[in-house]
Amino acid sequence: MDWIYTGRCWKFGDNLAVDADLTKKEFASQRETRPEVLREFCMCGVDPDFPKKVSPHDIIVAGRRFAQGNPHIQGLLGIAALDLGLVVESIPRGSYRNAINAGLPFLAHCEGVTKECETGDELRVDFSTGVLENLTRGTRKSYEPPSKEQLDIIALGGWKAMFAKRIATMRAEGTIPAA
Amino acid sequence: MGQTITEKILSRVMKRPVKAGETVYPVPDLMTVHDWYVVNFDKALQEQGVTQLFDPTRVLISTDHEPVATNPANAERQKNVREIVRKYGITQFFDVGRGGLGHIFPMEMGTITPGMFVLAYDTHVTNYGAVGCLGIPMVFEIPEVLACGSCWIQVPETVRVNLTGALHKGITIRDVSQRMIVDIGEDNLDYSVVEYGGPALKDIDFGGRMTLCNNPLEMGAKSALIETDERMIEWLKPRVKGPIQPQVSDLDAIFKSVYDYDLGCLEPQVAAPPRPDNVVGVSKVAGIAINHAFIGSCANGSIEDLRDAASILRGRKIHPSVRLFITPATQEIAVRAGNEGLITTFMECGAVMTAPGCGPCAGGRIAPVAPGEVSINTGTRNDPGRLGTTKADIYLASPLTVAASAVAGEIVDPRKYL
């Protein structure tokens, strides 16, 4: 997997709600997980036109407690479906897990990052090392990346692919019965 | 090196000493799933060709999010759930009328004991901390837990809270608890287990202990639990068959932080829209007209909560423009409420009883609100849409404040009704 994303910055504030801001609330109770559906409603609570504006490898930069609320995965699957990266000042742990589960490259502990860039800036982010470069401003910052184990899950494409791989491994070992 | 209760529990499960920060794959003593996810986990397992669970005798399923099917599609879903339970040979299935809310009745039945480790499809499994069990939510990954027996977790750090002081009249543990999670703050609570002890613990009943273990996860806590004390053992004794293993942290355990928290909160507390941490004194929101009120949920559906509500509602009538729903969390609580005359009080004042379970708090699948309406309730969360429409305002408060507000037709300080 190429961990380096180069694209435009899309900046948001603090406390974006995982259900009402990041996606359509109903998707959680419907357990909707289809990328082609979720991508169309990415960030619809704050900007309904967002999916039309962004390009693959653009980067969402947000403040504290991104994706707060009941830890449903749909909002994070929507971001991953648009092939975006995510850089936030903080993210509650349930949504942190779900970012990994969604296969979404992200940096979760970026104190003050919203002061480092504005919407429209050209960014280059290496999600495996935590280095964020603002190419428009010519600045560079370093943050804590996810752990090796977590990056491995993201590289596979998220929880579903990791689960399939674990099942195959356990079958091969004879730990669980064959299909 | 000393250990916290959480490290001790996970060390027992892993059969080796573990410490906070380690990534481990612990096999839980029990896995719980609620009625609204059974069809989904079955689909996820079918996609991987999984036909057997890791251990179907360790799986508990409860019909609590929508105990009474309200339309033909849901009746069909319930039928599917029963077939899936049979297919996998799941032995601990508590259908409608058999248990109630899955975060509570397994404690009443003596299934949950101090030192146990549970993974669950639903965030509020942390309630099991009321009896010293470590309950950790595992939402999206629960099919992996069911099929493989585990899933990765990082051993959480512990925030130790020593409870001190005493409750003032008209103030409940819910008031203190929702204030406390804001005071301790998200940075401390995030991915931590909150461990309660301290001199005031002996004065807190089982219902209050569940509330204490329920609220912190709304601010990002991984779980919460109460150290074993005499009151916990007394509650467990008639329910648990085997020996009870008390759980306490070592004196030299390393905590992320330690708080002394005084129960002497001066004013009832209300969480205003749009988040559970938007907590203010009741005087700040008093006078806001309400249409909908609800007492119940895994945060406040205990017998002690129903007694609190009845203490206000006895001999009074609900305001004409308000509908009040009361949900005893479990079958046992409903029986006790009947025996104690509480249900008579509720029905006479104009409230409606709903089936044991989550009540309206489970996404407003029953008794939702309409756009433009205002609810005050004892549920777990007040995000827009928690009770159906996103265009309603939801306030969270204690059973006393909710009951008094239902009588007044607006948010009020319950102390003048006592």
Side-chain angles (χ1 to χ4, degrees):
Chain A
M1 167 158 185
D2 181 7
W3 291 108
I4 299 171
Y5 279 31
T6 306
R8 278 173 301 169
C9 166
W10 298 91
K11 194 166 104 171
F12 297 91
D14 294 336
N15 286 313
L16 262 66
V18 69
D19 286 333
D21 291 330
L22 266 59
T23 190
K24 228 169 64 163
K25 170 85 187 168
E26 300 85 287
F27 286 151
S29 54
Q30 293 163 1
R31 317 283 186 226
E32 179 63 67
T33 55
R34 288 173 294 174
E36 67 274 19
V37 174
L38 294 170
R39 58 179 287 156
E40 301 303 322
F41 293 89
C42 180
M43 308 301 281
C44 66
V46 278
D47 181 0
D49 293 328
F50 184 74
K52 296 192 195 88
K53 296 178 185 171
V54 296
S55 309
H57 287 207
D58 278 359
I59 293 146
I60 292 176
V61 175
R64 298 187 59 73
R65 297 190 77 203
F66 183 80
Q68 56 82 21
N70 216 351
H72 297 127
I73 197 170
Q74 284 71 22
L76 297 152
L77 286 171
I79 298 172
L82 286 169
D83 201 9
L84 306 178
L86 177 68
V87 175
V88 295
E89 297 197 353
S90 76
I91 181 168
R93 196 63 188 202
S95 285
Y96 182 101
R97 278 195 88 96
N98 279 336
I100 297 168
N101 290 334
L104 173 63
F106 75 120
L107 298 177
H109 316 285
C110 308
E111 192 65 44
V113 72
T114 49
K115 295 187 186 70
E116 298 295 324
C117 48
E118 289 300 332
T119 293
D121 285 357
E122 189 79 358
L123 304 182
R124 180 159 65 210
V125 180
D126 185 334
F127 291 97
S128 67
T129 62
V131 173
L132 179 147
E133 292 168 273
N134 186 329
L135 304 176
T136 304
R137 293 190 189 180
T139 56
R140 177 189 162 96
K141 285 269 175 180
S142 199
Y143 303 102
E144 181 190 340
S147 71
K148 164 88 173 59
E149 294 93 340
Q150 294 163 358
L151 287 171
D152 286 347
I153 298 172
I154 296 168
L156 277 173
W159 173 79
K160 206 169 172 180
M162 191 277 297
F163 180 39
K165 190 180 169 195
R166 189 172 178 203
I167 290 278
T169 307
M170 289 179 83
R171 279 195 182 122
E173 291 168 348
T175 324
I176 58 172
Chain B
M1 177 72 77
Q3 288 189 309
T4 63
I5 295 174
T6 296
E7 288 168 329
K8 288 182 185 191
I9 291 173
L10 290 172
S11 294
R12 173 188 64 75
V13 172
M14 295 303 297
K15 302 187 177 71
R16 66 175 176 83
V18 301
K19 59 178 195 300
E22 274 185 63
T23 296
V24 291
Y25 280 76
V27 177
D29 302 302
L30 187 72
M31 316 165 196
T32 71
V33 184
H34 68 63
D35 48 338
W36 265 78
Y37 202 70
V38 175
V39 170
N40 304 73
F41 86 62
D42 180 51
K43 186 164 165 259
L45 294 180
Q46 283 188 41
E47 281 173 8
Q48 302 299 334
V50 174
T51 54
Q52 291 182 38
L53 303 187
F54 177 80
D55 184 355
T57 67
R58 285 195 215 193
V59 179
L60 184 151
I61 289 176
S62 54
T63 305
D64 51 21
H65 274 54
E66 193 173 26
V68 179
T70 48
N71 58 47
N74 290 341
E76 191 175 350
R77 185 185 46 72
Q78 289 196 341
K79 181 169 170 255
N80 291 338
V81 169
R82 292 173 194 122
E83 285 167 4
I84 291 164
V85 164
R86 270 194 295 276
K87 178 172 81 173
Y88 290 111
I90 293 166
T91 50
Q92 301 187 65
F93 176 47
F94 295 88
D95 206 347
V96 57
R98 307 307 199 279
L101 211 167
H103 303 319
I104 301 179
F105 75 79
M107 288 189 279
E108 296 174 333
M109 290 175 177
T111 303
I112 309 296
T113 55
M116 271 180 76
F117 172 54
V118 178
L119 288 177
Y121 185 90
D122 199 74
T123 52
H124 296 105
V125 66
T126 58
N127 265 31
Y128 291 169
V131 296
C133 160
L134 179 64
I136 290 188
M138 196 54 67
V139 179
F140 195 69
E141 307 95 321
I142 206 73
E144 183 184 354
V145 178
L146 293 167
C148 307
S150 63
C151 183
W152 72 272
I153 62 166
Q154 268 177 329
V155 179
E157 292 185 291
T158 292
V159 172
R160 168 79 185 190
V161 178
N162 296 310
L163 299 167
T164 63
L167 290 172
H168 294 169
K169 191 173 185 214
I171 312 283
T172 73
I173 288 293
R174 177 62 188 252
D175 299 294
V176 176
S177 184
Q178 61 185 12
R179 178 76 250 162
M180 181 183 64
I181 59 171
V182 179
D183 290 346
I184 294 180
E186 56 178 299
D187 288 341
N188 266 304
L189 292 174
D190 192 37
Y191 205 68
S192 303
V193 172
V194 181
E195 177 186 307
Y196 295 102
L201 192 59
K202 64 181 187 316
D203 303 321
I204 300 174
D205 56 36
F206 179 68
R209 290 171 182 226
M210 284 198 293
T211 307
L212 284 171
C213 291
N214 188 284
N215 287 159
L217 87 143
E218 315 303 351
M219 290 289 281
K222 190 74 172 167
S223 193
L225 49 74
I226 288 170
E227 72 176 16
T228 310
D229 65 350
E230 282 181 28
R231 189 164 184 164
M232 185 191 292
I233 291 174
E234 286 309 307
W235 191 89
L236 286 166
K237 260 186 192 164
R239 301 166 186 274
V240 175
K241 290 196 189 79
I244 295 165
Q245 302 286 345
Q247 301 293 314
V248 288
S249 289
D250 293 328
L251 290 173
D252 57 346
I254 295 172
F255 296 110
K256 182 180 185 182
S257 49
V258 179
Y259 291 87
D260 289 328
Y261 204 86
D262 189 346
L263 301 186
C265 171
L266 294 175
E267 188 187 9
Q269 302 290 308
V270 178
R275 288 191 313 277
D277 59 322
N278 191 19
V279 176
V280 296
V282 67
S283 54
K284 291 273 195 319
V285 287
I288 293 172
I290 62 160
N291 318 94
H292 177 281
F294 157 59
I295 294 164
S297 90
C298 51
N300 282 96
S302 70
I303 189 67
E304 293 89 354
D305 294 315
L306 299 190
R307 286 177 193 143
D308 275 356
S311 73
I312 299 254
L313 297 172
R314 196 166 289 121
R316 292 193 168 104
K317 294 284 182 198
I318 308 251
H319 190 274
S321 61
V322 176
R323 53 196 195 277
L324 169 62
F325 301 94
I326 299 182
T327 307
T330 67
Q331 298 288 120
E332 178 182 313
I333 293 166
V335 169
R336 292 176 74 177
N339 289 342
E340 294 180 21
L342 307 182
I343 292 178
T344 304
T345 298
F346 298 147
M347 301 309 278
E348 284 179 352
C349 78
V352 174
M353 307 294 294
T354 77
C358 307
C361 186
R365 291 182 181 103
I366 59 166
V369 287
E373 288 194 322
V374 177
S375 173
I376 186 165
N377 66 74
T378 65
T380 58
R381 301 195 56 88
N382 59 346
D383 324 60
R386 184 72 190 179
L387 296 176
T389 175
T390 54
K391 295 181 176 59
D393 284 341
I394 304 172
Y395 294 82
L396 304 176
S398 77
L400 291 177
T401 303
V402 173
S405 301
V407 169
E410 60 185 38
I411 298 176
V412 291
D413 188 328
R415 290 176 291 186
K416 53 189 134 175
Y417 289 77
L418 291 169

